[in-house]
């Protein structure tokens, strides 16, 4: 743990003994604010410069959208927390080679998006808006919190796709909260305070968000069959790979599981092995859906 994190942990835990409300407000602000805005990398620039750029307004803030290809066979790319659409650059090139039309975005508070932050509902709203403009999608490729949002958006019906690639998926919104508190080393009292503030300030009047914003429940309520490629790295220090194994087990023969090593939570997106696995998934799914060719051999005359 670095010195800054140690100082923050000490200050928050100490303050919580005097005023749980004051410490809770500070924790909530930290939770909502990305740690710096993810920047475009030099190797991503050539792909991003080829994109048609648009915008989507969610929650009063502008998300930036990116579109490549002809528009035929569109694929939606959904980034996660503290990320951006350009992180899919290597995959965009591969999808274009396959004749697909990728669509990506930077959510508010991320990449080139406006504003300071986003919520999981913002991710769902962006996916729905892009479905209206470009969908239905042949496939959705999502990473981290984007996986959670993808299954929620599919469940609610406004995002249409029958194939999903789920990379390093967060299993539910509560897992994100618990992981944040654990990484900072916060007291259980502050975890409770943070959850309470999220309910009151981010989702007022909503039902049980901790159950509703969960992949297992969303998956059970999706109204169409899904074919899913599940990808996770054994050395992911943000999301336990056991959750992706559980997702694959739940889906049974509708899922393929790819486990990588040494990539962690973020480098997995641009890894050539992962890009190749997505390509193979697309090619195999295309072959499964292709209509059988008629037998060219002569047929006996009727009668």
């Amino acid at each position: 743990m670095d010195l800054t994190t140690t100082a923050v942990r000490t200050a928050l835990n100490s303050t919580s003994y005097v005023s749980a409300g004051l410490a809770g407000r500070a924790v909530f602000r930290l939770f909502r604010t990305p740690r710096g805005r993810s920047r475009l990398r030099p190797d991503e620039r050539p792909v991003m410069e080829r994109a048609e750029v648009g915008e989507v307004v969610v929650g009063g803030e502008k998300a930036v959208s990116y579109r490549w290809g002809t528009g035929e066979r569109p694929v939606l790319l959904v980034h996660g927390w503290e990320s951006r659409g350009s992180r899919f650059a290597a995959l965009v090139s591969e999808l274009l080679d396959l004749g697909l039309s990728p669509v990506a975005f930077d959510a508010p508070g991320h990449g080139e998006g406006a504003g300071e932050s986003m919520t999981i509902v913002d991710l769902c709203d962006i996916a729905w808006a892009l479905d209206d403009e470009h969908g239905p999608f042949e496939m959705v490729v999502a990473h981290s919190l984007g996986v959670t949002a993808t299954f929620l958006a599919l469940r609610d019906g406004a995002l249409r796709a029958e194939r999903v690639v789920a990379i390093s998926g967060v299993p539910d919104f509560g897992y994100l909260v618990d992981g944040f508190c654990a990484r900072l080393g916060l007291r259980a009292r502050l975890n409770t305070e943070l959850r309470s503030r999220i309910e009151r300030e981010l989702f007022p009047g909503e039902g049980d968000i901790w159950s509703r914003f969960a992949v297992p429940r969303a998956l059970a309520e999706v109204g169409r069959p899904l074919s899913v490629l599940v990808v996770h790295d054994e050395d992911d220090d943000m999301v336990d790979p056991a959750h992706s194994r559980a997702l694959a087990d739940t889906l049974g023969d509708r899922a393929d599981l790819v486990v990588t090593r040494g990539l962690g939570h973020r480098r997995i997106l641009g890894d050539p092995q992962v890009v190749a696995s997505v390509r193979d998934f697309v090619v195999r799914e295309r072959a499964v859906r292709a209509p059988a060719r008629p037998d060219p051999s002569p047929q006996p005359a009727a009668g």
Side-chain angles (χ1 to χ4, degrees):
M1 185 176 291
D2 60 46
L3 292 176
T4 300
T5 302
T6 301
V8 170
R9 177 193 63 192
T10 301
L12 291 172
N13 283 333
S14 298
T15 303
S16 71
Y17 285 103
V18 179
S19 173
L22 181 61
R25 283 196 296 274
V27 171
F28 179 67
R29 187 164 57 250
L30 278 176
F31 177 78
R32 286 219 60 198
T33 306
R35 296 172 300 175
R37 195 175 283 259
S38 183
R39 302 297 180 185
L40 182 68
R41 296 171 181 164
D43 61 312
E44 299 168 347
R45 190 175 299 277
V47 171
M48 301 308 294
E49 288 177 345
R50 296 164 57 192
E52 178 183 319
V53 181
E55 67 178 40
V56 179
V57 178
V58 290
E61 300 288 358
K62 291 181 180 179
V64 177
S65 64
Y66 306 96
R67 174 183 174 272
W68 298 264
T70 63
E72 297 179 5
R73 304 179 64 212
V75 174
L76 179 63
L77 310 174
V78 185
H79 72 72
W81 183 251
E82 295 178 349
S83 188
R84 58 184 292 150
S86 64
R87 295 298 181 258
F88 292 102
L91 184 58
V92 167
S93 296
E94 190 69 40
L95 294 173
L96 286 170
D97 287 344
L98 290 169
L100 300 168
S101 299
V103 177
F105 62 86
D106 294 340
H110 293 70
E112 305 306 316
E116 300 293 329
S117 189
M118 71 174 185
T119 69
I120 192 169
V121 173
D122 291 333
L123 286 178
C124 291
D125 288 345
I126 294 168
W128 295 339
L130 292 175
D131 185 280
D132 283 342
E133 185 175 356
H134 304 290
F137 291 103
E138 179 155 321
M139 181 173 69
V140 180
V141 182
H143 176 243
S144 192
L145 184 62
V147 173
T148 320
T150 293
F151 284 113
L152 294 176
L154 286 167
R155 176 190 65 188
D156 293 340
L159 175 61
R160 297 165 293 170
E162 295 181 355
R163 280 155 289 282
V164 175
V165 178
I167 304 173
S168 309
V170 174
D172 57 65
F173 193 58
Y175 187 89
L176 196 69
V177 173
D178 292 342
F180 170 82
C181 291
R183 284 190 295 276
L184 278 179
L186 301 181
R187 297 175 60 213
R189 174 68 182 274
L190 284 177
N191 185 306
T192 302
E193 181 70 20
L194 176 57
R195 284 174 173 257
S196 178
R197 287 185 177 274
I198 288 170
E199 292 170 355
R200 295 196 312 268
E201 299 186 35
L202 291 186
F203 308 108
E206 298 277 355
D208 178 13
I209 63 171
W210 311 109
S211 172
R212 189 160 62 84
F213 294 166
V215 169
R217 176 173 169 179
L219 189 60
E221 296 174 355
V222 171
R224 65 178 68 87
L226 292 175
S227 180
V228 182
L229 174 64
V230 183
V231 185
H232 214 120
D233 192 80
E234 284 283 7
D235 301 309
D236 190 329
D237 63 349
M238 301 289 289
V239 181
D240 190 337
H243 294 289
S244 284
R245 292 193 183 94
L247 173 61
D249 288 343
T250 298
L251 288 162
D253 60 6
R254 291 184 292 153
D256 291 325
L257 175 64
V258 172
V259 178
T260 61
R261 289 174 175 78
L263 300 174
H265 188 70
R266 299 190 184 279
R267 288 192 297 120
I268 193 170
L269 273 183
D271 180 70
Q273 177 189 345
V274 174
V275 172
S277 295
V278 176
R279 179 197 63 218
D280 293 345
F281 179 68
V282 171
V283 171
R284 185 177 67 251
E285 286 294 305
R286 182 186 298 175
V288 169
R289 297 194 312 276
R293 294 183 178 181
D295 186 351
S297 60
Q299 300 296 315

